[in-house]
Amino acid sequence: MQLTRTGCALRATSRRWATISNRFHAFNTTRAQSTTSQSATSTGPRSQPEYTRPPGLYLYGLPPGSKQPVSSPKSEGAAAGDTISTIDGKEYARDTQYNVPKQILDHVGRKLYLQPDHPLCLTRELVESAFPSDQGFNNRHEPHPVVTTKENFDDLGFPTDHPGRSKTDTYYVNQDHVLRTHTSAHELKLFSELQRELRNGSHGYTLCSDVFRRDSIDRSHYPVFHQMEGARCWRLVMADQVLSIEERSDKAGIERLLCLQAIREDRDRLPLWRHRHGEPVASHLLQQAALDLKTEDPNPTFDLETNPLQSSHSPVEVELVASHMKHSIEFLIAKVFRQAQNAGIISRSESPRVRWVPAYFPFTSPSWELEVWWQGEWLELLGCGISKQQLLIDAGIPESIGWAWGIGIERLAMLLYGIPDIRLFWSKDQRFLSQFGADQATKFREFSKYPECYKDIAFWLPEPEQDEKAAAAPKNGAETPVEIAVPSGAAASAGGHMSVEESISHPSFHENDLAEIVRDVAGPLVENVVLVDEFFSQKKQRKSLCYRITYRSLERTLTNEEVNDLHQKIRDKIEGQLRVELR
Ligand code: DAH
């Protein structure tokens, strides 16, 4: 049936190198199918879909050897004659790489994570409370959003052909600078700054910042969002200080043993570890965290083929560091669950559940994702792993070992407060902002629900060059719909089969370019853009795509004229800027 893969929200990019699971796709499919009986261009109020997919957050799980990035056909955003861009008070020379629309720059400097009582600020504080300064974590933020491509990609070991580097996925300020796409861009610098502190034992940091990705449009994706990064390192003890002259002959071995001992002691002090081993835990922690959290961790800590330990680490070291990291992160999640229970978002009657899934990131090995069981489904929440030793060497702390994680703050806040649409975080409406405050468990109350209205846009992709035709054409049958199989989260991030990418990508069309045009014209008035139809015409030897754009304001009812006008502008721009033929 043609519409089996309808509702494939603009997720090709993320699917290519992220973790999107079948359950989300299944939901989208159902949703789009249920609306196909309506006229393709119908507008007007319809019932609110029960959409709950939280935002993607760690999209960098693409193993080496995966498909090449698709480059953007043209750079937009640079006004003719502009040679300098000023971003957050700093000037950058422009070149042809520039592709930052003004609308994106307008988000710079809002610092929502520092705005008192804002849900993103409260969520940051909750995360920091699990990694506090009195336990050796510097809780930091980094407001300036521009980083070098070296910081964002090279320093972290991203292969040169990683899709994340593509202009379709990343906002380039010029060929050497980007709007950071993840908080990991600051890892090397922050590890370097740990150098001094590490002399006194183990140390770590958390970092919160805004990040920018050219991405799809739906209720859980926005091109500007927030991430937090956390890390901890242990330095091999300076053996000279503690060993006698005779003992120093086996200095290296003894140092490592001492380091192991230090990690073990730190791990054994963690509240969740203590709780699980029958040790007393401070009563305020028992109240603040659902320590009865159940963990599923069926895989060995490392697997030489699929999730290897690094050559410089021993199995015992990796086991201990991973154990420290997992217990620390689970404690954070136990706090999240307790707060959600207090707000009545999830029930207290069941023990909360999480599971660890092997993953891939260029800057950690072994790596994992954490999934939480949330309202009846497994939801990815965070990526993490044992930091690559090269990173620590480059940071000037070669004799250390450490872990790191990264998490999307919007996703966490959407779960914590039951916030249904990511655009709400940018709202200045008091009906939204006044709902949240420190020390109060809050469930978001919908203050208004304005009607949605959708319109479809269909077009032929450019005719592929001769040699691409064979690849683009289906093997048999005319006008054949293409089935899209969605890889499970683990498969995608750990290097599994990526059939979605193959079915949607086209040499001269990228869905993120379409999304950027839609965002540029309609900004926050667009709720969702979904691929609802796709087929290859044998007669025309061309592929046709149809996208459904759902318009809805969070603050008022849109008029038909207004939506028609926006849609026409989008059609014009698509025709003018993408090499497609409208149908
Ligand atoms: N920066 C990653 C992303 O946005 C998330 C991440 C994964 C951060 C693993 C980490 C880490 O520090 O260890 O995709």
Side-chain angles (χ1 to χ4, degrees), residues 135-153:
Q135 285 168 30
F137 289 92
N138 296 331
N139 298 131
R140 324 238 329 214
H141 58 273
E142 180 64 66
H144 189 69
V146 181
V147 297
T148 61
T149 49
K150 179 175 174 299
E151 291 167 314
N152 203 76
F153 300 120

Side-chain angles (χ1 to χ4, degrees), residues 52 62 113 137 177 199 201 211 237 252 268 285 318 326 338 347 398 419 450 464 468 472 485 507 548 563:
T52 53
L62 182 79
Y113 53 91
F137 289 92
H177 294 87
R199 293 211 187 97
V211 297
V237 175
D268 294 355
L285 293 181
V318 173
K326 289 176 175 176
R338 175 64 86 230
S347 142
I419 295 173
Y450 298 98
E468 288 157 4
R548 175 157 301 162
V563 172

